[in-house]
Amino acid sequence: MRVGVLTGGGDCPGLNAVIRAVVRKGVQEYGHEFIGFRDGWRGPMEGRSIPLGIPAVRGILPRGGTILGSSRTNPYREDDGVGRIRATLERQRIGALIVIGGEDTLGVAARLSAEEGIPCVGVPKTIDNDLSATDYTFGFDTAVGIATEAIDRLHTTAESHMRVLVVEVMGRHAGWIALHSGLAGGANAILIPEQRFDVDQVCAWVTSRFRASYAPIVVVAEGAMPKDGDLVLKDESLDSFGHVRLSGVGEWLAKQIEKRTGNEARTTVLGHVQRGGTPSPFDRWLATRFGLHAIDAVHEGDHGVMVALRGTDIVRVPLAAATEKLKTVDPKLYEEVGVFFG
């Protein structure tokens, strides 16, 4: 069988580990042939591909990013996008597609599988950890580690100048990165999209911290919103999946804190540094296992599924169920860490 592989959406540490595992097991144990499509869904739409053999995946396990490239292309928003994908797959005699992506990329795979009969197997990746049906997505652990290290470093400079430091992290509409890195890094306030925040309460936590002769660190997710306001946006342009570009809430909050408390406040926006660099050992392990189980599903003809982590087991779940809603932070979990605020 000829199997297509693509990586879509935002880049993510661990993508190459999946590709390596798929190709190694697929070639060595099943005798399949692999074609890598370039730049997400744009690859099969435009017929852009490269052969993927074992020599092509040697040495890529510790590399961040993706050797196939990525994009946020949505074939359902392109002129005859789905028809062009089908034509490419038929022309290249592709028997199945392994689609590595997050909510949007796998949402396309779910539709292609259910509505068009195109055999797809999904692999969940996103630093946001917001895909339902899996305990964790690879990329998340690396992003949390990077954010935690940054918070650790910022504590020392905050104490040196006795100023407030606001750390803005990624996560879109889910607060998993903020929650995990904020707790691990000893933040004095953690603000997430799932719980609108009261600026006066944040200022009270900041003031309390100063009274104890310590400088506060506030971790805020890019999608967090004040109780009496809306999303803070860099601009209002939309990508092909209808998403706005988030970021800016950290700078806005720092100005509010400085204005209301009189204490100097600065902002650090971690941005894309959270998605870059070598994947953590856990992400390499998880991505590799996902890849091994994804090619098993393809070989067995089990299509329209996504591989997922449940406890320590890798299971298969319907693609539609995995992408129908976001996995967000439970209010009880957020309440649990509130004892450290202020």
Side-chain angles (χ1 to χ4, degrees):
M1 185 192 304
R2 300 189 90 200
V3 181
V5 183
L6 67 84
T7 55
D11 63 300
C12 177
L15 286 165
N16 288 323
V18 180
I19 298 168
R20 170 181 175 268
V22 164
V23 172
R24 284 285 298 271
K25 186 170 188 178
V27 171
Q28 291 174 192
E29 294 200 10
Y30 299 136
H32 295 323
E33 182 182 353
F34 292 88
I35 300 295
F37 288 106
R38 299 284 304 171
D39 302 330
W41 288 113
R42 186 182 301 155
M45 270 179 43
E46 299 178 357
R48 299 170 57 198
S49 64
I50 59 173
L52 280 180
I54 289 179
V57 300
R58 288 196 180 113
I60 68 173
L61 176 64
R63 284 175 57 182
T66 165
I67 62 170
L68 295 178
S70 190
S71 74
R72 297 189 185 277
T73 303
N74 182 356
Y76 285 95
R77 298 284 293 272
E78 301 287 336
D79 184 32
D80 193 29
V82 173
R84 289 154 63 192
I85 288 175
R86 182 182 294 281
T88 296
L89 299 183
E90 290 175 354
R91 184 171 62 253
Q92 298 207 25
R93 296 178 287 109
I94 302 296
L97 267 180
I98 292 179
V99 181
I100 313 166
E103 171 200 7
D104 298 321
T105 302
L106 294 183
V108 170
R111 289 188 65 181
L112 290 176
S113 183
E115 300 172 8
E116 307 295 333
I118 294 176
C120 294
V121 170
V123 177
K125 71 90 206 164
T126 169
I127 67 168
D128 302 338
N129 197 41
D130 60 359
L131 273 173
S132 58
T134 184
D135 290 350
Y136 288 99
T137 55
F138 70 85
F140 172 67
D141 185 71
T142 303
V144 169
I146 291 169
T148 301
E149 181 181 359
I151 295 167
D152 287 345
R153 291 175 180 272
L154 290 169
H155 272 292
T156 59
T157 186
E159 296 293 344
S160 296
H161 294 275
M162 289 304 288
R163 60 166 60 123
V164 185
L165 281 182
V166 178
V167 185
E168 182 183 302
V169 299
M170 285 181 163
R172 295 199 65 81
H173 303 297
W176 294 108
I177 296 176
L179 185 72
H180 282 240
S181 64
L183 181 61
N188 310 112
I190 302 170
L191 311 178
I192 62 175
E194 293 87 344
Q195 300 282 331
R196 284 181 174 260
F197 62 88
D198 184 332
V199 178
D200 288 333
Q201 178 62 73
V202 175
C203 290
W205 288 330
V206 164
T207 302
S208 172
R209 183 70 173 174
F210 276 120
R211 279 201 299 266
S213 298
Y214 290 100
I217 299 283
V218 178
V219 174
V220 56
E222 61 186 357
M225 291 183 287
K227 284 184 176 179
D228 56 353
D230 297 313
L231 276 173
V232 179
L233 307 175
K234 276 187 175 295
D235 59 62
E236 296 186 5
S237 59
L238 304 178
D239 66 17
S240 62
F241 289 95
H243 299 308
V244 294
R245 182 184 179 192
L246 299 180
S247 187
V249 66
E251 190 67 35
W252 177 87
L253 182 60
K255 291 178 181 177
Q256 292 295 316
I257 292 172
E258 193 165 281
K259 177 182 176 182
R260 299 187 189 201
T261 68
N263 297 109
E264 187 180 14
R266 293 289 184 270
T267 306
T268 297
V269 180
L270 295 184
H272 289 75
V273 70
Q274 294 159 94
R275 298 211 310 235
T278 187
S280 69
F282 178 81
D283 279 340
R284 298 184 202 187
W285 172 86
L286 180 58
T288 297
R289 292 192 69 203
F290 277 160
L292 296 175
H293 284 260
I295 191 57
D296 286 345
V298 166
H299 184 71
E300 294 167 16
D302 191 5
H303 304 139
V305 299
M306 182 189 83
V307 292
L309 180 68
R310 296 282 178 83
T312 57
D313 296 329
I314 305 296
V315 300
R316 299 173 193 172
V317 297
L319 267 171
T323 57
E324 65 184 358
K325 64 178 181 178
L326 289 179
K327 181 180 69 179
T328 54
V329 175
D330 188 314
K332 291 182 180 179
L333 186 58
Y334 182 67
E335 183 180 348
E336 193 176 270
V337 306
V339 66
F340 298 106
F341 297 174

